[in-house]
Amino acid sequence: MKDFDFKETFLNPIFKGNPISVLVLGICSSLAVTVQLKGACVMALSVTIVTALSSLVASLLRNTIPNRIRIIVQLVVVALMVILVDQVLKAYVYSVSKTLSVYIGLIITNCIVMGRIEAFALGNKPFASLMDGLGNGIGYGLILVIVAFFRELLGSGTLFGFRVIPESFYELGYMNNGLMILPPMALILLGCIIWIQRSVQKELQEK
Amino acid sequence: MADYISLFVKSIFVDNMIFAYFLGMCSYLAVSKNVKTANGLGVAVVFVLLVTLPINYLLNEYLLKPGALKWLGDNYAGLDLSFLSFIVFIAVIAAIVQIVEMVVEKFAPALYSQLGIFLPLIAVNCAILGGSLFMQERDFANVGEAATYALGSGIGWWLAIIALAAIREKMAYSHVPAPLKGLGITFITVGLMGIAFMTFMGIQL
Amino acid sequence: MNTNSNTYTVIYSTVLVVVVAAVLAFAAMALKPMQDENIKKETITQVLTAAAQSDSEVNISEDTDVMAMYVDKINDAFYVDGNGNRKGQMNMGKEDVNAIQVATTSDLKKQNDIIKKIEAGQADLLQSLELPVYILDINGKEITVIPCYGAGLWGPIWGYLAVEKDGKTLAGAVFDHKSETPGLGAKITEDFFEGQFPGKVFGDGEEKFAVVKGGAKGAANGVDAISGATITSQSLGKTINTWATYYEPYLTKAAAKVSEETEAVAESTEDEANEIVEE
């Protein structure tokens, strides 16, 4: 087992090896909650917590898991974390949990969580796995928040529900871009983020 | 009957799993490089959805939702096991996928050689779990509606992946800006397809 | 230890399942009271918001202590059956805020199931209905709030209608839904739609209320549907219509009582009576 390199494990997934824009993991469900920044932030936080904690637990259990039922055990660990997060959200931020509806449950099948357990946590020490999970969760959340920022700003003229585009703009004829609120725009924005990232980091470009 | 048709068409076009809810995106992007494999995965998704959704519906109806245990006697009527739904659903899905894989391998080897490699992938496909969770949230009236919804959204997913695969096959010959190549342009394509699908929103049944 | 043996696998999965179930059950039990509280609070907020539309001075925002406000404004809260007879009292929380009882959406769902059976011909179930009624005092004006609950396009939709003393005129309405399409059916929760309701009057005949496509054309018992959300709009109209029908016996009785009282007052002092009529 190689030595634990904090910078490598924690920071790499946030930028260079970002799970969404580079590894294409876990785009699934969560884009649907990027209409508003608030929902996206809660979602980002939930994914980070679930990824970090299930990586930690899976890493603690890594030497005991029977190989044959490995996937099921991983699913159970992830599902456990997701249910806990869901219950806590319902108890403390009810209105947000209502807008996230089924998407919290879908974190279970978010490839990022299972992917990190399978690829990292099962072969590394608990603390390293926790950091890897945290890093990936944050890298993932970052993309969600960026997408949500633009969608809410351009689509509703607000951020976190507060109006940021002044009334006078509207009087001059400025209009909210209704298209931004619609689901497909999340994908197009994501395409643009990848475009920018790959223009800067040329080594990521596909042939 | 009209309800079923309406639900069916709506779940294919209007509430398409990919374009409206982004369900099953990982495998959607990963396996859409050519039409043939895309077709295989699409069929497998339809199949698994159609099997798991009614089962999960019954579980939800008679085990999980508040008051669902009434059939055991009045003492159990107040129990609410809905906090277990995620774990039960995913366990059912994982188990069914496993069983389906074994059955298909034994009785339909030809089908197995087509679907085989996709089946394990499907256990963690959000579209399958998503189907069950939406089913729970939408509170369908009976198993028939749940099955119709499963069939409709499965076909919607299938259509979406074949369409994307066909576009990507053609796109291989076009000049895409280097940073956009591969993933970037695929996202934008899916976005545009989504906008096109939104025109179905107006259909009335 | 051989982690691949059958015995080990079986024992391992058993232990795992037990541990996971225990953790989940514990978490669910510990958080349940807070979750229930949130659901209750939401119901109370919606009841208050519907009632408060009759008076622009009463504002409800996210920071409002709705529980305290509810205790302050509520005059009476009880259940009625389908014949308009009073059945049971709800705790209004006058002594203890935490004891407030309201009919949450799951209670409304149960009533809706009974209503469906009645519609299917089991008229004897009318007595077993337990429809909640909230009577609030909004700055001296008595407002009755009644709920409605039904199926929308994808999932349940529900709402609260604030009715004035005459048992017919609407003073306000609040709607909510579980999973209508964002941007279309989900618009029933928006102000522009809800704002159409104050001043509308329940009809006398079969059709108490309707949400009409292409404009209600100023009809007293209808509002405009949301364009692009035909099914949600129609279902909402149907839901309001159905629930209004089952509340009618109670509302008529209550209104009759009010007018009797008004007449009694009218006999004693004519001037005051005129003022009341003008109001």
Side-chain angles (χ1 to χ4, degrees):
Chain A
M1 207 169 292
K2 58 179 188 268
D3 277 329
F4 169 56
D5 178 357
F6 173 79
K7 210 179 134 200
E8 195 52 27
T9 5
F10 181 68
L11 292 180
N12 187 38
I14 300 184
F15 303 105
K16 266 179 130 178
N18 189 293
I20 293 191
S21 63
V22 180
L23 299 175
V24 214
L25 280 181
I27 347 128
C28 313
S29 45
S30 317
L31 280 179
V33 297
T34 52
V35 179
Q36 277 158 347
L37 205 45
K38 198 174 163 196
C41 284
V42 175
M43 190 68 181
L45 197 65
S46 311
V47 174
T48 310
I49 292 171
V50 171
T51 324
L53 290 184
S54 29
S55 281
L56 177 69
V57 174
S59 172
L60 287 171
L61 294 175
R62 71 185 186 281
N63 293 327
T64 65
I65 300 177
N67 200 34
R68 260 186 297 169
I69 55 166
R70 196 182 75 236
I71 300 281
I72 296 266
V73 171
Q74 289 168 10
L75 273 178
V76 168
V77 170
V78 178
L80 171 71
M81 294 304 162
V82 171
I83 296 176
L84 289 180
V85 167
D86 180 51
Q87 295 284 325
V88 169
L89 287 182
K90 270 193 193 144
Y92 292 95
V93 277
Y94 184 66
S95 59
V96 179
S97 95
K98 249 180 63 181
T99 52
L100 296 181
S101 72
V102 302
Y103 291 99
I104 286 290
L106 286 173
I107 297 178
I108 298 177
T109 48
N110 194 320
C111 323
I112 210 178
V113 186
M114 291 287 284
R116 287 332 287 173
I117 293 181
E118 189 74 12
F120 194 91
L122 287 182
N124 284 284
K125 287 197 173 131
F127 185 67
S129 305
L130 180 68
M131 281 304 140
D132 177 72
L134 264 185
N136 274 288
I138 293 173
Y140 179 86
L142 195 67
I143 301 274
L144 279 193
V145 171
I146 294 175
V147 173
F149 175 83
F150 285 108
R151 285 184 78 187
E152 189 174 349
L153 181 67
L154 300 177
S156 322
T158 57
L159 285 177
F160 286 110
F162 295 108
R163 187 145 293 286
V164 282
I165 295 182
E167 255 340 290
S168 54
F169 274 46
Y170 290 97
E171 279 156 24
L172 290 172
Y174 175 83
M175 269 177 35
N176 286 329
N177 183 351
L179 199 58
M180 279 290 169
I181 300 180
L182 302 176
M185 281 317 282
L187 292 166
I188 294 182
L189 275 175
L190 198 55
C192 295
I193 293 176
I194 295 175
W195 192 355
I196 294 168
Q197 194 192 14
R198 293 191 178 176
S199 306
V200 179
Q201 299 176 339
K202 292 221 161 43
E203 69 276 12
L204 291 174
Q205 290 176 10
E206 288 171 50
K207 289 283 153 354
Chain B
M1 194 61 209
D3 289 354
Y4 288 104
I5 298 174
S6 154
L7 180 66
F8 182 67
V9 175
K10 266 192 183 307
S11 44
I12 297 182
F13 295 107
V14 184
D15 284 83
N16 187 288
M17 284 220 160
I18 291 282
F19 300 125
Y21 299 108
F22 310 106
L23 293 178
M25 269 295 193
C26 302
S27 31
Y28 180 70
L29 294 173
V31 195
S32 58
K33 286 198 177 107
N34 71 65
V35 176
K36 206 169 165 240
T37 41
N39 187 34
L41 184 67
V43 174
V45 166
V46 177
F47 191 59
V48 174
L49 260 179
L50 202 52
V51 179
T52 55
L53 221 133
I55 294 180
N56 280 340
Y57 177 82
L58 292 174
L59 277 173
N60 186 44
E61 205 68 3
Y62 295 105
L63 183 68
L64 295 171
K65 73 179 195 187
L69 287 170
K70 219 164 146 187
W71 54 273
L72 276 177
D74 282 342
N75 288 341
Y76 299 91
L79 276 177
D80 177 4
L81 292 181
S82 51
F83 65 91
L84 287 176
S85 27
F86 297 163
I87 215 161
V88 170
F89 288 168
I90 195 74
V92 165
I93 290 167
I96 298 278
V97 168
Q98 196 90 119
I99 295 170
V100 166
E101 197 181 347
M102 287 191 281
V103 171
V104 172
E105 191 179 7
K106 179 118 179 106
F107 296 104
L111 186 65
Y112 182 75
S113 63
Q114 276 182 355
L115 296 188
I117 43 165
F118 300 114
L119 283 172
L121 256 181
I122 279 178
V124 286
N125 186 325
C126 323
I128 312 288
L129 182 65
S132 286
L133 292 176
F134 273 116
M135 170 273 295
Q136 188 188 32
E137 196 187 79
R138 285 172 184 170
D139 217 1
F140 290 122
N142 54 46
V143 183
E145 276 189 18
T148 314
Y149 174 70
L151 188 64
S153 32
I155 292 179
W157 202 92
W158 185 20
L159 267 184
I161 197 169
I162 293 189
L164 180 66
I167 294 177
R168 284 181 80 172
E169 277 187 359
K170 293 270 178 285
M171 216 151 54
Y173 304 105
S174 40
H175 297 284
V176 178
L180 264 180
K181 255 190 190 144
L183 196 54
I185 194 71
T186 311
F187 274 127
I188 293 177
T189 314
V190 178
L192 293 175
M193 287 166 74
I195 293 177
F197 258 69
M198 294 197 73
T199 48
F200 290 117
M201 261 192 186
I203 39 176
Q204 273 181 38
L205 283 162
Chain C
M1 190 164 39
N2 177 14
T3 56
N4 283 324
S5 76
N6 279 341
T7 343
Y8 182 80
T9 310
V10 171
I11 294 173
Y12 192 89
S13 30
T14 319
V15 171
L16 188 75
V17 165
V18 170
V19 170
V20 167
V23 171
L24 285 183
F26 176 75
M29 301 252 282
L31 295 172
K32 187 94 178 132
M34 290 177 78
Q35 295 172 355
D36 289 346
E37 176 96 4
N38 283 331
I39 294 170
K40 202 156 91 179
K41 222 172 181 170
E42 193 188 28
T43 310
I44 290 176
T45 313
Q46 289 176 343
V47 169
L48 278 176
T49 318
Q53 283 178 0
S54 62
D55 194 318
S56 56
E57 279 166 38
V58 185
N59 286 314
I60 294 161
S61 67
E62 271 184 34
D63 311 321
T64 315
D65 182 358
V66 284
M67 300 296 228
M69 193 171 175
Y70 178 80
V71 172
D72 178 45
K73 307 266 182 220
I74 192 84
N75 261 351
D76 206 350
F78 52 90
Y79 296 102
V80 294
D81 67 11
N83 296 324
N85 299 319
R86 197 176 167 129
K87 270 185 112 173
Q89 181 75 32
M90 280 187 253
N91 192 323
M92 293 181 282
K94 297 278 183 201
E95 288 92 31
D96 175 12
V97 181
N98 295 320
I100 297 181
Q101 284 172 330
V102 288
T104 58
T105 44
S106 53
D107 298 323
L108 296 181
K109 184 180 177 345
K110 277 179 210 147
Q111 298 310 312
N112 195 47
D113 290 342
I114 300 179
I115 288 181
K116 273 192 221 154
K117 280 185 196 157
I118 298 174
E119 304 261 289
Q122 301 184 40
D124 52 320
L125 284 173
L126 266 181
Q127 277 105 8
S128 63
L129 276 175
E130 274 185 13
L131 304 170
V133 175
Y134 309 90
I135 298 184
L136 291 97
D137 180 345
I138 305 291
N139 290 350
K141 205 170 169 190
E142 191 183 286
I143 299 283
T144 308
V145 176
I146 58 169
C148 61
Y149 182 99
L153 169 61
W154 284 121
I157 46 177
W158 62 94
Y160 292 88
L161 303 166
V163 188
E164 291 191 16
K165 260 196 228 167
D166 65 358
K168 282 187 167 176
T169 314
L170 288 176
V174 165
F175 299 103
D176 205 351
H177 65 97
K178 201 158 183 190
S179 41
E180 298 309 294
T181 324
L184 293 171
K187 280 189 182 163
I188 55 168
T189 61
E190 289 179 13
D191 291 344
F192 85 91
F193 182 73
E194 291 171 354
Q196 297 183 77
F197 284 78
K200 297 288 175 188
V201 182
F202 284 143
D204 287 321
E206 279 273 291
E207 188 169 82
K208 301 257 162 277
F209 205 83
V211 179
V212 195
K213 204 186 166 192
K217 309 250 161 47
N221 67 339
V223 294
D224 291 347
I226 294 167
S227 53
T230 318
I231 298 185
T232 309
S233 303
Q234 279 172 354
S235 322
L236 184 64
K238 212 176 119 201
T239 302
I240 299 175
N241 198 21
T242 313
W243 281 67
T245 313
Y246 288 94
Y247 272 107
E248 193 186 18
Y250 164 74
L251 290 173
T252 321
K253 274 185 199 175
K257 217 165 134 196
V258 170
S259 60
E260 264 171 38
E261 278 164 19
T262 324
E263 274 164 28
V265 175
E267 277 162 24
S268 60
T269 44
E270 243 181 45
D271 295 342
E272 266 181 48
N274 284 338
E275 272 171 34
I276 292 170
V277 171
E278 274 164 29
E279 272 175 19

